[in-house]
């Protein structure tokens, strides 16, 4: 795919190939015969940059030296940032340096400013914390310290700096850049440096990447490390729930977040907590009475456990701090609820561990963009930071974001809590509403609809199980009950509906038991079962008659491409079967992420986490035996989404996709590359290599065959093994992202069905939105008519969308994995043309 194809820029994640700076454009114009793809061409990692575009740039200008630094509190994913920056800088023909120990390293200089080789960051993706260290530096607060830091940078020839840290670290960087000219003048005037030494370094370019587990910087949807911290919290709460339920106890869980309640809110949504406290939204009036009322109602329903999550910066409506001890004492009050209550403060366990798949992807893509940004910066360019907004990596003015972040803290301090919520992004507010709806909705009877507006809604899962299905069902049922609707479970898909609806003692069609459903938030798989069978296979007439028999007013489907196909069949059959003229909507849930109409499907994040974890263990085994390659087969059908993003998260040496295909030439080139890589191996650990192949990438080459070919062609120079994680990729416990989005999207789906009401056959016939798919596109949640998706956006033979928004990331996988430029397979000839070529009636091209 040409990287300057304009179609790419209209797609999410098209940020990967924004135009390079003017210098690069001039090189392209003067060397058009080389082709644009040369920029992403052959790169065999070695100490010296490859002899390609980098060499041409070097002839035109001195080699740029870029330093990378981590500062402030550590967060999972920082090492992925460093790795991406180092390798992208080398790929772009620059020298990469790491500043160890944060600003302390800039001030002390010496061995703390180290030039990095391509192999120096090998294996860093799977490491937690920051391997180049971070430390408080009081000296940098003073001008004398910044003067020394500037001198050390000049002596090392560095005038470009990428910093990964929180808002305090990035603010310090902006001040450093503002003072840079005066610092150089002072260094020259005092004789520390000569005018000739500073001549080439008149301007300092700085780019920031936000590394923070709190997700507290305005202007970006996520910060590096926040989803990893959320995963740690949810894992701990899931474990606590087991002991809480055993002893019928209450637990107060304190999480980080002094001025930002993102972690507490998302953890509350993901785990189905009974109550949360966040700084931005104190409870109205008397929080004590409200919390006791909610907990008491939940206990009356039969719940044996109570979980309260509190952010460390929690306040009441009057700005007074709420402590875990206050909450515990209230729950344990013998004259009140009298619950056996314990406090668990998670502390720094939230920062620890390796980064989850999403944080690795975010850190890698932001690191790549940071290198491009620092090379394109001019003296007039404002200091920027790299953000993710609407699913795109973008550059934003740093200080504007810092000021907006400080406004939140000021709003909380001044008790302007509505203003604080307004300063958070739309998802934050929606998730808060979702939490309130699923935990306290049944207690608030004011939300009940009039009897005539209440609907009977069928819930059905179709296709393979995916993480988040149960969380979606739970949220949908909770919303239905809060509004007075009747949610009905259709067990085991359309097959169960058609053949077991009337079974005794339990048929496939039966009401939900809320006490049972309430515990589904963290459960994997599908508690109401699922099946790949389509309505046409079950018998369309049978399905239509059953919908009429059970008097369903709407259908809520959760599933993958089979569910998409099912909705399509039901819509088309409306003319023949009037009982199908009811509103229906689909919530995509499949690890393949191949449903048209959305960039995200429930279960895909859980799958990526499982696959990345599996590959980390495999790479560890490969590293222990040093020269070994593992070929891992991924699921995903004819969509290479999982293989590509997993390749980004584990640093794969190669990724084979159905969208590109696989040929003997590609394998031959990769074998040669691996031979050269292992020939240059200096004996370090972390020498293991991983190749990922999608299960449908080739009709001939599978993981075992490729591993055998590699082993045979290596001639004893390295070993190869295959690994097939299989259905473990469907995951056990769903990821927090899948759980949170399941809640948000499921509620929106029921609200969409609710708009139609009952007995709307005539309206449904003429309204395309009556059969729709909910999707996340950019930062927006949208409903798209299934008819439009069927006709315009679906690649039916390959069971995937026509446009793969994520495909542009494949180039980044190849670049950072050090894979040489390779030729793509020839397209297959089909139909009459194929016959004519075989018969010699048409020349082979």
């Amino acid at each position: 795919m040409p990287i300057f194809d304009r179609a790419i820029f209209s797609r999410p994640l098209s940020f990967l190939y924004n135009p390079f700076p003017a210098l690069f454009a001039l090189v392209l114009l003067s060397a058009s015969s080389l082709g644009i793809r040369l920029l992403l061409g052959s790169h065999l990692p070695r100490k010296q940059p490859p002899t390609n575009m980098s060499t041409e740039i070097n002839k035109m200008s001195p080699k740029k030296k870029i330093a990378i630094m981590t500062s402030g509190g550590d967060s999972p994913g920082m090492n992925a940032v460093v790795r991406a920056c180092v390798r992208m800088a080398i790929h772009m023909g620059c020298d990469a340096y790491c500043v160890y120990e944060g600003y302390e390293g800039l001030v002390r200089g010496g061995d703390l400013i180290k030039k990095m080789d391509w192999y120096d960051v090998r294996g860093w993706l799977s490491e937690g914390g920051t391997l180049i260290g971070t430390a408080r530096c009081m000296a940098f607060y003073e001008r004398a310290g910044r003067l020394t830091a500037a001198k050390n940078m000049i002596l090392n020839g560095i005038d470009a700096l990428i910093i990964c840290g929180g808002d305090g670290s990035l603010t310090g960087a902006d001040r450093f850049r503002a003072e840079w000219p005066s610092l150089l003048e002072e260094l020259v005037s005092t004789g520390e440096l000569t005018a000739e030494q500073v001549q080439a370094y008149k301007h300092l370019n700085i780019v920031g990447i936000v590394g923070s587990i709190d997700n507290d910087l305005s202007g970006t949807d996520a910060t590096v490390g926040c989803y990893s911290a959320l995963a740690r919290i949810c894992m701990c709460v899931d474990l606590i729930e087991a002991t809480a339920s055993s002893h019928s106890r209450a637990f107060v869980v304190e999480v980080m977040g002094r001025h930002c309640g993102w972690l507490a809110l998302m953890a509350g949504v993901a785990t189905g907590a009974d109550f949360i406290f966040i700084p931005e939204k104190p409870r109205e009036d008397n929080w004590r009475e409200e919390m006791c009322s909610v907990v008491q109602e939940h206990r009356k329903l039969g719940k044996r456990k109570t979980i309260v999550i509190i952010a460390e910066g929690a306040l009441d409506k009057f700005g007074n701090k709420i402590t875990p001890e206050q909450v515990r004492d209230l729950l344990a009050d013998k004259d009140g609820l009298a619950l056996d209550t314990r406090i668990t403060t998670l502390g720094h366990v939230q920062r620890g561990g390796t980064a989850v798949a999403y944080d690795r992807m975010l850190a890698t893509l932001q690191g790549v963009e940071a290198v491009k940004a620092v090379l394109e910066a001019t003296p007039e360019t404002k200091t920027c930071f790299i953000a993710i907004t609407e699913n795109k990596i973008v550059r934003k003015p740093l200080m504007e974001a810092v000021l907006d972040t400080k406004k939140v803290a000021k709003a909380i301090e001044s008790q302007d809590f509505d203003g604080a919520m307004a300063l958070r992004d739309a998802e934050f507010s929606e998730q808060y509403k979702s939490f309130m709806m699923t935990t306290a909705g049944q207690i608030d009877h004011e939300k009940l609809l009039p009897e005539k507006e209440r609907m009977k809604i069928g819930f059905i899962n179709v296709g393979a199980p995916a993480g988040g299905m149960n969380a979606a069902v739970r949220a949908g049922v909770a919303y239905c009950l809060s509004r007075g609707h009747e949610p009905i479970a259709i067990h085991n898909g359309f097959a169960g509906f058609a053949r077991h609806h009337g079974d005794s003692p339990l048929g496939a069609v039966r009401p939900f038991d809320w006490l049972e459903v309430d515990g589904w938030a963290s459960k994997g798989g599908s508690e109401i079962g699922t099946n790949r069978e389509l309505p046409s296979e079950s018998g369309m007439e049978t399905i239509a008659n059953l919908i009429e028999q059970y008097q369903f007013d709407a259908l809520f489907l959760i599933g993958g491409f089979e569910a998409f196909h099912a909705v399509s069949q039901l819509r088309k059959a409306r003319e023949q079967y009037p009982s199908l003229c009811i509103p229906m909507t689909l919530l995509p849930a499949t690890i393949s992420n191949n449903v048209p109409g959305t960039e995200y499907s429930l279960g895909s994040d859980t799958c990526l986490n499982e696959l990345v974890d599996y590959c980390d263990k495999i790479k560890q085994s490969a590293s222990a035996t040093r020269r070994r390659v593992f070929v891992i087969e991924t699921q995903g059908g004819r969509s290479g989404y999982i293989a590509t993003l997993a390749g980004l998260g584990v640093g794969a040496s190669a990724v084979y996709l159905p969208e590109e295909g696989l040929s003997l030439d590609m394998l031959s080139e990769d074998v040669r590359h691996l031979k050269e890589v292992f020939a240059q191996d200096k004996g370090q650990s972390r020498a293991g290599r991983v190749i990922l192949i999608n299960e449908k990438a080739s009709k001939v080459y599978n993981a075992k065959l490729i591993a055998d070919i590699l082993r045979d062609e290596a001639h004893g120079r390295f070993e190869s093994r295959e690994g097939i994680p299989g259905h473990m990729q469907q995951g056990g416990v769903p990821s927090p992202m899948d759980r949170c989005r399941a809640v948000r999207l499921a509620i929106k789906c029921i609200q969409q069905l609710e708009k139609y009401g009952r007995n709307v056959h005539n309206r449904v016939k003429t309204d395309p939105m009556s059969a729709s798919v909910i999707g996340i596109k950019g930062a927006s949640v949208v409903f798209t008519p299934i008819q439009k998706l069927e006709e315009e956006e679906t690649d039916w033979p390959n069971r995937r969308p026509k446009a793969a928004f994520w495909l542009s990331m494949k180039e980044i996988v190849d670049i950072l994995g050090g894979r040489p430029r390779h030729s793509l397979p020839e397209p297959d000839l089909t139909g009459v043309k194929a016959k004519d070529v075989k018969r010699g009636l048409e020349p082979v091209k």
Side-chain angles (χ1 to χ4, degrees):
M1 180 194 303
I3 63 168
F4 277 57
D5 181 355
R6 298 307 302 173
I8 294 177
F9 293 108
S10 65
R11 301 176 193 159
L13 294 173
S14 60
F15 51 81
L16 291 173
Y17 301 108
N18 288 336
F20 283 102
L23 177 61
F24 288 75
L26 287 172
V27 174
L28 284 175
L29 291 172
S30 63
S32 59
S33 62
L34 295 175
I36 292 174
R37 289 187 66 86
L38 190 56
L39 278 172
L40 298 176
S42 174
H43 177 75
L44 178 63
R46 48 189 157 224
K47 289 188 176 180
Q48 298 302 320
T51 308
N52 56 11
M53 184 61 70
S54 306
T55 305
E56 296 188 31
I57 293 169
N58 292 338
K59 292 177 182 177
M60 300 177 62
S61 62
K63 185 179 288 190
K64 192 83 170 177
K65 295 184 178 181
I66 302 173
I68 301 98
M69 181 176 82
T70 55
S71 180
D74 66 296
S75 63
M78 280 186 164
N79 291 320
V81 169
V82 176
R83 172 185 177 271
C85 289
V86 167
R87 292 197 168 181
M88 192 63 182
I90 294 172
H91 175 78
M92 299 288 284
C94 305
D95 284 338
Y97 287 77
C98 279
V99 179
Y100 284 71
E101 309 303 336
Y103 285 112
E104 183 73 17
L106 273 186
V107 174
R108 289 167 56 187
D111 293 340
L112 294 181
I113 301 178
K114 177 186 174 184
K115 185 178 178 182
M116 303 296 284
D117 181 21
W118 183 276
Y119 292 116
D120 289 335
V121 291
R122 179 192 297 169
W124 283 30
L125 278 169
S126 59
E127 297 288 341
T130 166
L131 292 174
I132 61 174
T134 179
R136 288 187 177 275
C137 180
M138 302 308 296
F140 197 78
Y141 285 96
E142 306 296 330
R143 182 176 174 85
R146 295 192 291 276
L147 197 68
T148 305
K151 178 182 177 181
N152 287 329
M153 289 183 66
I154 297 297
L155 291 176
N156 284 280
I158 299 167
D159 64 349
L161 187 60
I162 297 172
I163 300 175
C164 181
D167 59 343
S169 300
L170 300 183
T171 301
D174 184 70
R175 181 178 181 183
F176 187 42
R177 186 192 183 204
E179 289 183 349
W180 185 260
S182 66
L183 292 173
L184 298 194
E185 287 179 12
E186 187 172 340
L187 287 169
V188 172
S189 65
T190 57
E192 294 284 331
L193 296 174
T194 66
E196 290 75 17
Q197 283 178 297
V198 303
Q199 182 60 40
Y201 308 103
K202 290 292 187 181
H203 306 288
L204 174 63
N205 293 332
I206 287 180
V207 172
I209 295 175
V210 191
S212 167
I213 67 167
D214 294 333
N215 197 18
D216 56 352
L217 190 76
S218 298
T220 184
D221 297 340
T223 57
V224 174
C226 67
Y227 276 101
S228 299
L230 180 60
R232 304 288 175 271
I233 294 169
C234 291
M235 180 186 70
C236 292
V237 173
D238 290 345
L239 297 174
I240 286 169
E241 281 187 345
T243 185
S245 182
S246 299
H247 298 273
S248 192
R249 283 178 177 153
F251 274 82
V252 182
V253 182
E254 185 183 39
V255 302
M256 290 184 174
R258 278 175 293 178
H259 302 295
C260 180
W262 187 86
L263 285 174
L265 170 60
M266 294 301 181
V269 172
T271 62
D274 296 88
F275 211 78
I276 61 170
F277 292 94
I278 60 174
E280 298 90 340
K281 189 71 174 177
R283 299 298 182 138
E284 295 295 331
D285 301 324
N286 192 329
W287 65 266
R288 293 175 174 83
E289 291 180 1
E290 185 181 357
M291 183 184 71
C292 289
S293 174
V294 170
V295 172
Q296 189 172 38
E297 286 297 319
H298 288 178
R299 288 282 174 164
K300 283 181 180 179
L301 289 171
K303 288 188 71 172
R304 287 180 53 82
K305 65 180 186 295
T306 298
I307 302 293
V308 176
I309 298 178
I310 180 170
E312 59 181 329
L315 305 170
D316 67 15
K317 187 179 179 181
F318 307 103
N320 301 311
K321 183 173 176 57
I322 300 174
T323 66
E325 289 75 19
Q326 287 176 292
V327 177
R328 177 199 59 194
D329 294 344
L330 184 61
L331 293 172
D333 185 1
K334 293 182 179 179
D335 296 324
L337 295 171
L339 297 176
D340 183 4
T341 307
R342 308 295 169 91
I343 295 174
T344 298
T345 301
L346 297 182
H348 284 76
V349 71
Q350 297 163 80
R351 291 189 186 277
T354 186
V356 297
Y358 180 85
D359 278 331
R360 297 189 194 193
M361 179 197 74
L362 180 65
T364 299
L365 299 180
Q366 288 189 340
V368 168
E369 183 66 16
V371 172
K372 292 165 60 178
V374 85
L375 289 173
E376 293 176 12
T378 66
E380 293 74 33
T381 305
K382 288 184 178 180
T383 303
C384 74
F385 78 104
I386 310 301
I388 182 166
T389 305
E390 299 184 358
N391 213 21
K392 299 178 184 176
I393 300 295
V394 294
R395 306 169 194 175
K396 289 191 174 182
L398 172 62
M399 293 314 297
E400 288 181 18
V402 170
L403 291 175
D404 286 342
T405 302
K406 290 181 178 178
K407 286 179 185 177
V408 177
K410 289 178 181 177
I412 293 172
E413 188 177 347
S414 62
Q415 298 173 33
D416 178 14
F417 300 112
D418 289 337
M421 286 292 285
L423 287 167
R424 296 296 183 204
D425 59 38
E427 185 181 9
F428 189 94
S429 299
E430 284 191 13
Q431 290 287 16
Y432 182 80
K433 293 175 184 176
S434 298
F435 175 80
M436 296 300 295
M437 189 64 68
T438 54
T439 57
Q442 297 174 59
I443 300 170
D444 186 2
H445 299 297
E446 294 180 3
K447 290 184 170 59
L448 288 173
L449 293 171
E451 187 72 34
K452 64 179 181 179
E453 296 179 22
R454 299 178 186 179
M455 303 170 68
K456 189 175 185 179
I457 302 175
F459 284 59
I460 184 168
N461 293 345
V462 183
M469 275 185 164
N470 291 320
V473 171
R474 175 185 175 275
V477 170
Y479 182 82
C480 283
L481 295 176
S482 72
R483 302 285 281 171
H485 301 309
E486 183 182 3
I488 301 294
I490 302 174
H491 289 255
N492 301 317
F494 286 104
F497 193 23
R499 296 191 284 279
H500 302 285
H501 64 94
D503 286 2
S504 180
L506 285 177
V509 182
R510 55 183 186 267
F512 287 99
D513 175 2
W514 173 247
L515 184 60
E516 179 185 0
V517 173
D518 190 36
W520 289 2
S522 60
K523 285 194 174 183
S526 171
E527 290 295 308
I528 64 170
T530 184
N531 194 284
R532 294 179 183 271
E533 190 167 290
L534 297 173
S536 60
E537 297 169 326
S538 302
M540 189 62 73
E541 184 176 355
T542 301
I543 298 299
N545 291 338
L546 287 171
I547 287 175
E548 184 175 13
Q549 176 183 332
Y550 286 97
Q551 299 180 337
F552 286 122
D553 298 307
L555 278 183
F556 175 36
L557 296 91
I558 305 172
F561 198 89
E562 290 87 357
F564 176 83
H565 197 175
V567 176
S568 173
Q569 288 185 350
L570 293 171
R571 182 197 68 78
K572 291 175 180 177
R574 281 173 171 173
E575 288 294 330
Q576 188 175 356
Y577 304 105
S579 62
L580 298 179
C581 293
I582 58 173
M584 53 189 76
T585 191
L586 167 64
L587 171 50
T590 167
I591 67 170
S592 305
N593 198 22
N594 63 339
V595 178
T598 185
E599 297 163 11
Y600 165 86
S601 300
L602 297 183
S604 58
D605 186 63
T606 300
C607 173
L608 283 170
N609 283 339
E610 293 292 330
L611 190 54
V612 164
D613 187 53
Y614 176 88
C615 289
D616 282 349
K617 292 181 173 67
I618 287 291
K619 288 192 78 172
Q620 189 177 61
S621 170
S623 299
T625 52
R626 285 191 52 212
R627 295 180 177 177
R628 177 173 287 179
V629 180
F630 272 91
V631 184
I632 309 298
E633 181 184 277
T634 73
Q635 292 187 336
R638 294 191 178 278
S639 169
Y641 173 83
I642 289 297
T644 300
L645 268 73
L648 206 64
V650 302
S653 297
V655 177
Y656 302 131
L657 311 176
E659 289 81 359
E660 287 186 347
L662 179 57
S663 69
L664 195 57
D665 286 343
M666 288 175 65
L667 287 174
S668 178
E669 290 166 6
D670 287 333
V671 168
R672 280 196 297 271
H673 168 59
L674 288 169
K675 283 182 180 179
E676 294 183 33
V677 165
F678 283 118
Q680 297 178 35
D681 177 24
K682 294 179 290 187
Q684 316 104 308
S685 61
R686 303 195 182 104
R689 303 277 166 174
V690 166
I691 291 174
L692 300 179
I693 176 171
N694 170 275
E695 60 186 344
K696 301 287 187 182
S698 170
K699 296 176 183 177
V700 176
Y701 303 107
N702 56 30
K704 185 179 187 312
L705 180 56
I706 292 173
D708 288 343
I709 291 172
L710 291 175
R711 187 183 305 113
D712 188 61
E713 290 296 320
H715 299 296
R717 289 168 176 80
F718 58 89
E719 296 180 9
S720 64
R721 297 283 190 277
E722 75 277 1
I724 303 178
H727 284 75
M728 71 165 288
Q729 294 168 75
Q730 292 178 359
V733 177
S735 74
M737 178 184 286
D738 280 334
R739 296 194 223 176
C740 290
R741 289 186 171 177
V743 172
R744 179 189 180 198
L745 298 178
I747 289 175
K748 283 187 172 291
C749 284
I750 305 299
Q751 289 172 338
Q752 170 73 4
L753 297 173
E754 195 178 53
K755 291 176 184 177
Y756 290 87
R758 300 162 61 179
N759 303 317
V760 288
H761 291 66
N762 291 333
R763 178 186 169 189
V764 165
K765 275 186 177 180
T766 58
D767 186 356
M769 289 298 294
S770 64
S772 61
V773 176
I774 192 173
I776 293 180
K777 292 186 175 181
S780 302
V781 176
V782 297
F783 286 91
T784 310
I786 196 138
Q787 184 175 0
K788 179 178 185 295
L789 296 174
E790 292 170 12
E791 298 171 354
E792 300 175 15
E793 299 182 24
T794 304
D795 178 359
W796 285 101
N798 289 308
R799 294 164 49 88
R800 66 192 184 206
K802 287 182 179 178
F805 75 93
W806 47 266
L807 197 55
S808 51
M809 283 188 278
K810 173 62 165 51
E811 298 280 7
I812 294 297
V813 177
D814 288 344
I815 290 171
L816 299 186
R819 187 184 184 190
R821 183 162 53 96
H822 57 276
S823 56
L824 295 178
E826 297 178 15
D828 291 338
L829 296 179
T830 58
V832 176
K833 186 176 180 66
K835 292 180 180 179
D836 288 346
V837 170
K838 289 176 184 177
R839 293 168 181 164
L841 300 177
E842 188 173 326
V844 179
K845 295 180 181 179

